[in-house]
Each structure stands twice: as C-alpha cells, then as structure tokens.
Short mmCIF file of all heavy atoms in Angstrom, two decimals:
data_model
loop_
_atom_site.label_atom_id
_atom_site.label_comp_id
_atom_site.label_asym_id
_atom_site.label_seq_id
_atom_site.Cartn_x
_atom_site.Cartn_y
_atom_site.Cartn_z
N SER A 10 109.40 87.81 -115.81
CA SER A 10 109.07 89.09 -115.12
C SER A 10 108.88 88.82 -113.68
O SER A 10 108.68 87.66 -113.31
CB SER A 10 107.81 89.68 -115.77
OG SER A 10 106.69 88.96 -115.57
N SER A 11 108.83 89.89 -112.90
CA SER A 11 108.89 89.65 -111.40
C SER A 11 108.37 90.79 -110.69
O SER A 11 108.03 91.94 -111.19
CB SER A 11 110.37 89.51 -110.97
OG SER A 11 110.58 89.49 -109.60
N THR A 12 108.17 90.57 -109.33
CA THR A 12 107.80 91.71 -108.44
C THR A 12 108.94 92.67 -108.24
O THR A 12 108.74 93.67 -107.61
CB THR A 12 107.44 91.10 -107.10
OG1 THR A 12 108.50 90.22 -106.54
CG2 THR A 12 106.17 90.23 -107.07
N ASP A 13 110.17 92.35 -108.71
CA ASP A 13 111.21 93.19 -108.73
C ASP A 13 111.16 94.34 -109.72
O ASP A 13 112.13 95.14 -109.92
CB ASP A 13 112.61 92.55 -108.61
CG ASP A 13 112.93 91.89 -110.05
OD1 ASP A 13 112.12 92.01 -111.00
OD2 ASP A 13 113.88 91.14 -110.14
N ARG A 14 110.10 94.42 -110.53
CA ARG A 14 109.82 95.37 -111.51
C ARG A 14 110.60 95.24 -112.74
O ARG A 14 110.65 96.13 -113.63
CB ARG A 14 110.00 96.86 -110.92
CG ARG A 14 109.11 97.02 -109.63
CD ARG A 14 109.49 98.40 -109.07
NE ARG A 14 108.83 98.46 -107.82
CZ ARG A 14 108.82 99.65 -107.05
NH1 ARG A 14 109.56 100.71 -107.52
NH2 ARG A 14 108.21 99.74 -105.94
N GLN A 15 111.25 94.12 -112.95
CA GLN A 15 112.08 93.93 -114.15
C GLN A 15 111.54 92.92 -115.08
O GLN A 15 110.82 91.94 -114.61
CB GLN A 15 113.55 93.46 -113.53
CG GLN A 15 114.30 94.53 -112.97
CD GLN A 15 115.81 94.12 -112.80
OE1 GLN A 15 116.15 92.96 -112.81
NE2 GLN A 15 116.71 95.06 -112.81
N VAL A 16 111.98 93.11 -116.32
CA VAL A 16 111.75 92.05 -117.43
C VAL A 16 113.10 91.70 -117.87
O VAL A 16 114.02 92.50 -118.14
CB VAL A 16 111.01 92.67 -118.57
CG1 VAL A 16 110.85 91.73 -119.79
CG2 VAL A 16 109.57 93.06 -118.19
N LYS A 17 113.39 90.34 -117.94
CA LYS A 17 114.72 89.87 -118.27
C LYS A 17 114.60 88.89 -119.44
O LYS A 17 113.58 88.23 -119.60
CB LYS A 17 115.41 89.19 -117.11
CG LYS A 17 115.83 90.18 -115.97
CD LYS A 17 116.57 89.35 -114.89
CE LYS A 17 117.04 90.31 -113.83
NZ LYS A 17 117.89 89.57 -112.72
N LEU A 18 115.70 88.96 -120.35
CA LEU A 18 115.74 87.94 -121.41
C LEU A 18 116.98 87.02 -121.10
O LEU A 18 118.02 87.58 -120.70
CB LEU A 18 115.94 88.68 -122.67
CG LEU A 18 114.83 89.48 -123.29
CD1 LEU A 18 115.21 90.06 -124.54
CD2 LEU A 18 113.51 88.61 -123.40
N TRP A 19 116.73 85.79 -121.32
CA TRP A 19 117.76 84.79 -120.97
C TRP A 19 118.07 83.90 -122.23
O TRP A 19 117.19 83.62 -123.05
CB TRP A 19 117.26 83.76 -119.87
CG TRP A 19 116.80 84.57 -118.65
CD1 TRP A 19 115.58 85.15 -118.43
CD2 TRP A 19 117.59 84.69 -117.46
NE1 TRP A 19 115.57 85.66 -117.18
CE2 TRP A 19 116.79 85.43 -116.65
CE3 TRP A 19 118.90 84.39 -117.17
CZ2 TRP A 19 117.18 85.75 -115.29
CZ3 TRP A 19 119.33 84.74 -115.92
CH2 TRP A 19 118.55 85.43 -115.00
N ASP A 20 119.39 83.50 -122.39
CA ASP A 20 119.82 82.60 -123.38
C ASP A 20 119.72 81.16 -122.77
O ASP A 20 120.46 80.84 -121.82
CB ASP A 20 121.18 82.90 -123.79
CG ASP A 20 121.77 81.99 -124.93
OD1 ASP A 20 121.30 80.78 -124.97
OD2 ASP A 20 122.63 82.35 -125.66
N MET A 21 118.83 80.31 -123.23
CA MET A 21 118.72 78.99 -122.69
C MET A 21 119.80 78.13 -122.91
O MET A 21 119.94 77.05 -122.28
CB MET A 21 117.33 78.38 -123.04
CG MET A 21 116.14 79.07 -122.42
SD MET A 21 116.10 78.83 -120.64
CE MET A 21 117.01 80.40 -120.10
N GLY A 22 120.66 78.41 -123.85
CA GLY A 22 121.87 77.65 -123.99
C GLY A 22 122.81 77.70 -122.94
O GLY A 22 123.55 76.75 -122.64
N THR A 23 123.03 78.94 -122.42
CA THR A 23 123.94 79.34 -121.34
C THR A 23 123.28 79.49 -120.07
O THR A 23 124.02 79.62 -118.99
CB THR A 23 124.76 80.44 -121.74
OG1 THR A 23 123.92 81.57 -121.88
CG2 THR A 23 125.52 80.28 -123.07
N GLN A 24 121.98 79.70 -119.98
CA GLN A 24 121.19 80.02 -118.87
C GLN A 24 121.70 81.42 -118.27
O GLN A 24 121.69 81.69 -117.09
CB GLN A 24 121.25 79.05 -117.75
CG GLN A 24 120.62 77.76 -117.94
CD GLN A 24 121.52 76.82 -118.86
OE1 GLN A 24 122.60 76.48 -118.33
NE2 GLN A 24 121.06 76.33 -119.96
N LYS A 25 122.21 82.29 -119.12
CA LYS A 25 122.66 83.63 -118.81
C LYS A 25 121.71 84.73 -119.25
O LYS A 25 121.10 84.51 -120.24
CB LYS A 25 124.00 83.90 -119.46
CG LYS A 25 125.16 82.90 -119.13
CD LYS A 25 125.48 82.98 -117.66
CE LYS A 25 126.67 82.08 -117.27
NZ LYS A 25 127.03 82.12 -115.80
N CYS A 26 121.65 85.72 -118.33
CA CYS A 26 120.82 86.88 -118.75
C CYS A 26 121.40 87.74 -119.88
O CYS A 26 122.61 88.05 -119.72
CB CYS A 26 120.55 87.80 -117.54
SG CYS A 26 119.53 89.27 -117.84
N ILE A 27 120.74 87.97 -120.97
CA ILE A 27 121.32 88.62 -122.03
C ILE A 27 120.87 90.08 -122.06
O ILE A 27 121.41 90.94 -122.75
CB ILE A 27 121.08 87.95 -123.39
CG1 ILE A 27 119.57 87.71 -123.63
CG2 ILE A 27 121.84 86.65 -123.54
CD1 ILE A 27 119.23 87.01 -124.90
N HIS A 28 119.76 90.41 -121.34
CA HIS A 28 119.21 91.75 -121.27
C HIS A 28 118.29 91.86 -120.08
O HIS A 28 117.51 90.99 -119.83
CB HIS A 28 118.60 92.24 -122.48
CG HIS A 28 118.42 93.70 -122.67
ND1 HIS A 28 119.41 94.54 -123.08
CD2 HIS A 28 117.40 94.55 -122.32
CE1 HIS A 28 118.98 95.73 -123.04
NE2 HIS A 28 117.73 95.75 -122.61
N ALA A 29 118.35 92.98 -119.46
CA ALA A 29 117.43 93.31 -118.37
C ALA A 29 116.85 94.69 -118.58
O ALA A 29 117.55 95.63 -118.66
CB ALA A 29 118.14 93.25 -116.99
N PHE A 30 115.59 94.68 -118.64
CA PHE A 30 114.85 96.05 -118.86
C PHE A 30 114.45 96.49 -117.39
O PHE A 30 113.55 96.09 -116.83
CB PHE A 30 113.50 95.77 -119.64
CG PHE A 30 113.74 95.32 -121.04
CD1 PHE A 30 113.62 93.99 -121.42
CD2 PHE A 30 113.94 96.26 -122.08
CE1 PHE A 30 113.83 93.54 -122.64
CE2 PHE A 30 114.16 95.82 -123.42
CZ PHE A 30 114.13 94.49 -123.71
N SER A 31 115.40 97.47 -117.07
CA SER A 31 115.10 98.08 -115.73
C SER A 31 114.45 99.46 -115.95
O SER A 31 114.92 100.17 -116.79
CB SER A 31 116.42 98.16 -115.01
OG SER A 31 116.93 96.89 -114.76
N GLY A 32 113.61 99.87 -115.08
CA GLY A 32 112.98 101.11 -115.13
C GLY A 32 111.86 101.37 -116.04
O GLY A 32 111.36 102.42 -116.11
N VAL A 33 111.47 100.33 -116.81
CA VAL A 33 110.44 100.38 -117.72
C VAL A 33 109.02 100.25 -117.02
O VAL A 33 108.02 100.76 -117.49
CB VAL A 33 110.53 99.38 -118.97
CG1 VAL A 33 111.74 99.74 -119.74
CG2 VAL A 33 110.59 97.90 -118.47
N HIS A 34 109.11 99.48 -115.98
CA HIS A 34 107.84 99.34 -115.07
C HIS A 34 108.19 99.89 -113.67
O HIS A 34 109.28 99.80 -113.20
CB HIS A 34 107.39 98.01 -115.08
CG HIS A 34 106.74 97.50 -116.27
ND1 HIS A 34 105.44 97.78 -116.53
CD2 HIS A 34 107.13 96.69 -117.28
CE1 HIS A 34 105.06 97.21 -117.72
NE2 HIS A 34 106.15 96.54 -118.17
N THR A 35 107.14 100.43 -113.01
CA THR A 35 107.41 100.95 -111.66
C THR A 35 106.68 100.14 -110.53
O THR A 35 106.68 100.51 -109.41
CB THR A 35 106.89 102.40 -111.51
OG1 THR A 35 105.48 102.44 -111.89
CG2 THR A 35 107.59 103.33 -112.57
N ASP A 36 106.14 98.98 -110.91
CA ASP A 36 105.53 98.09 -109.99
C ASP A 36 105.54 96.60 -110.56
O ASP A 36 106.26 96.43 -111.62
CB ASP A 36 103.99 98.51 -109.82
CG ASP A 36 103.54 98.19 -108.42
OD1 ASP A 36 104.00 97.17 -107.85
OD2 ASP A 36 102.60 98.90 -107.98
N ASN A 37 104.87 95.74 -109.86
CA ASN A 37 104.96 94.35 -110.30
C ASN A 37 104.66 94.18 -111.78
O ASN A 37 103.81 94.77 -112.34
CB ASN A 37 103.88 93.49 -109.61
CG ASN A 37 104.10 93.38 -108.08
OD1 ASN A 37 105.22 93.68 -107.64
ND2 ASN A 37 103.12 93.04 -107.27
N VAL A 38 105.44 93.37 -112.45
CA VAL A 38 105.24 93.03 -113.91
C VAL A 38 104.60 91.72 -113.93
O VAL A 38 105.13 90.67 -113.77
CB VAL A 38 106.60 93.06 -114.71
CG1 VAL A 38 106.26 92.93 -116.15
CG2 VAL A 38 107.39 94.34 -114.39
N TRP A 39 103.25 91.77 -114.31
CA TRP A 39 102.46 90.44 -114.10
C TRP A 39 102.58 89.50 -115.27
O TRP A 39 102.45 88.33 -115.07
CB TRP A 39 100.97 91.01 -113.95
CG TRP A 39 100.64 91.55 -112.66
CD1 TRP A 39 100.28 92.89 -112.49
CD2 TRP A 39 100.68 90.99 -111.31
NE1 TRP A 39 100.02 93.12 -111.14
CE2 TRP A 39 100.28 91.96 -110.41
CE3 TRP A 39 100.89 89.76 -110.87
CZ2 TRP A 39 100.18 91.79 -109.10
CZ3 TRP A 39 100.76 89.42 -109.58
CH2 TRP A 39 100.44 90.42 -108.70
N GLN A 40 102.87 90.02 -116.43
CA GLN A 40 102.88 89.09 -117.66
C GLN A 40 103.92 89.58 -118.70
O GLN A 40 104.09 90.83 -118.94
CB GLN A 40 101.57 89.16 -118.22
CG GLN A 40 101.31 88.30 -119.47
CD GLN A 40 100.84 86.89 -119.09
OE1 GLN A 40 99.80 86.73 -118.42
NE2 GLN A 40 101.56 85.79 -119.37
N VAL A 41 104.56 88.65 -119.27
CA VAL A 41 105.39 88.85 -120.44
C VAL A 41 104.76 87.87 -121.61
O VAL A 41 104.29 86.71 -121.32
CB VAL A 41 106.87 88.61 -120.27
CG1 VAL A 41 107.41 89.70 -119.44
CG2 VAL A 41 107.16 87.25 -119.62
N ALA A 42 104.87 88.29 -122.83
CA ALA A 42 104.31 87.45 -123.93
C ALA A 42 105.02 87.80 -125.17
O ALA A 42 105.16 88.97 -125.65
CB ALA A 42 102.77 87.73 -124.05
N PHE A 43 105.55 86.72 -125.92
CA PHE A 43 106.10 86.90 -127.21
C PHE A 43 104.96 86.79 -128.31
O PHE A 43 104.03 86.07 -128.09
CB PHE A 43 107.13 85.76 -127.55
CG PHE A 43 108.46 86.07 -126.98
CD1 PHE A 43 108.92 85.44 -125.79
CD2 PHE A 43 109.38 86.87 -127.67
CE1 PHE A 43 110.16 85.59 -125.45
CE2 PHE A 43 110.62 87.15 -127.22
CZ PHE A 43 111.10 86.52 -126.02
N ASP A 44 105.14 87.47 -129.36
CA ASP A 44 104.19 87.35 -130.47
C ASP A 44 104.52 86.06 -131.17
O ASP A 44 105.60 85.42 -130.98
CB ASP A 44 104.03 88.56 -131.32
CG ASP A 44 105.35 88.80 -132.22
OD1 ASP A 44 106.40 88.12 -132.07
OD2 ASP A 44 105.24 89.66 -133.21
N GLN A 45 103.74 85.72 -132.33
CA GLN A 45 103.95 84.53 -133.00
C GLN A 45 105.18 84.43 -133.74
O GLN A 45 105.69 83.42 -134.06
CB GLN A 45 102.68 84.28 -133.88
CG GLN A 45 101.54 83.77 -133.17
CD GLN A 45 100.75 84.77 -132.52
OE1 GLN A 45 100.86 86.02 -132.68
NE2 GLN A 45 99.78 84.48 -131.69
N SER A 46 105.74 85.58 -134.04
CA SER A 46 107.02 85.55 -134.88
C SER A 46 108.25 85.59 -133.95
O SER A 46 109.35 85.42 -134.40
CB SER A 46 107.01 87.04 -135.71
OG SER A 46 107.24 88.16 -134.94
N GLY A 47 108.11 85.89 -132.71
CA GLY A 47 109.17 86.03 -131.76
C GLY A 47 109.93 87.30 -131.81
O GLY A 47 110.90 87.53 -131.09
N ASP A 48 109.48 88.24 -132.74
CA ASP A 48 110.20 89.48 -132.95
C ASP A 48 109.73 90.60 -132.02
O ASP A 48 110.33 91.61 -131.85
CB ASP A 48 110.03 90.02 -134.29
CG ASP A 48 110.73 89.23 -135.43
OD1 ASP A 48 111.60 88.45 -134.98
OD2 ASP A 48 110.31 89.17 -136.55
N SER A 49 108.57 90.49 -131.38
CA SER A 49 107.96 91.42 -130.41
C SER A 49 107.64 90.70 -129.02
O SER A 49 107.24 89.68 -129.02
CB SER A 49 106.71 92.03 -130.94
OG SER A 49 107.08 92.77 -132.11
N LEU A 50 108.04 91.50 -128.00
CA LEU A 50 107.76 90.95 -126.64
C LEU A 50 106.89 92.09 -125.96
O LEU A 50 107.36 93.25 -126.00
CB LEU A 50 109.09 90.74 -125.92
CG LEU A 50 108.95 90.41 -124.42
CD1 LEU A 50 108.35 88.99 -124.18
CD2 LEU A 50 110.25 90.58 -123.71
N ALA A 51 105.90 91.69 -125.23
CA ALA A 51 105.00 92.68 -124.52
C ALA A 51 105.17 92.27 -123.09
O ALA A 51 105.37 91.16 -122.70
CB ALA A 51 103.67 92.55 -124.99
N SER A 52 105.11 93.41 -122.22
CA SER A 52 105.01 93.17 -120.77
C SER A 52 103.95 94.16 -120.19
O SER A 52 103.67 95.33 -120.79
CB SER A 52 106.33 93.52 -120.07
OG SER A 52 106.73 94.86 -120.22
N VAL A 53 103.22 93.80 -119.18
CA VAL A 53 102.23 94.62 -118.55
C VAL A 53 102.33 94.38 -117.07
O VAL A 53 102.76 93.45 -116.51
CB VAL A 53 100.82 94.08 -118.99
CG1 VAL A 53 100.52 94.29 -120.44
CG2 VAL A 53 100.47 92.60 -118.60
N GLY A 54 101.91 95.48 -116.28
CA GLY A 54 102.14 95.54 -114.86
C GLY A 54 101.06 96.19 -114.13
O GLY A 54 100.11 96.79 -114.66
#
C-alpha cells in the first residue's frame, strides 16, 4: 500500500502486479494485513 491511495497484489514468482485496488481509499493507505488463512486481506487508511 502507498501514499498513492492504492492497494496492490503481486505475484512474487514473476514480480508482476496481479491486481490493483484503485478507488477503494481516498487518502494514504497506512496498512495492509493478511489473515492467518491468507484468504482475507485488510487495508486501512
């Protein structure tokens, strides 16, 4: 996550962005966190 207001997901095998969540936050996104299962991702801003 970034000051650009985006949350991005990356494939570490290819170092390619596989998804960008644009427009879900309107200001700095301070934190991203996966749950213990890896099935849920949270972001706060």
Side-chain angles (χ1 to χ4, degrees):
S10 69
S11 169
T12 56
D13 67 4
R14 308 175 183 181
Q15 288 193 333
V16 175
K17 291 185 177 182
L18 293 180
W19 304 84
D20 181 333
M21 286 297 91
T23 62
Q24 296 83 56
K25 300 294 185 182
C26 180
I27 55 178
H28 195 83
F30 295 96
S31 300
V33 294
H34 285 282
T35 58
D36 209 328
N37 295 345
V38 186
W39 291 111
Q40 183 91 55
V41 287
F43 277 103
D44 72 350
Q45 284 78 13
S46 71
D48 293 336
S49 295
L50 173 71
S52 64
V53 296

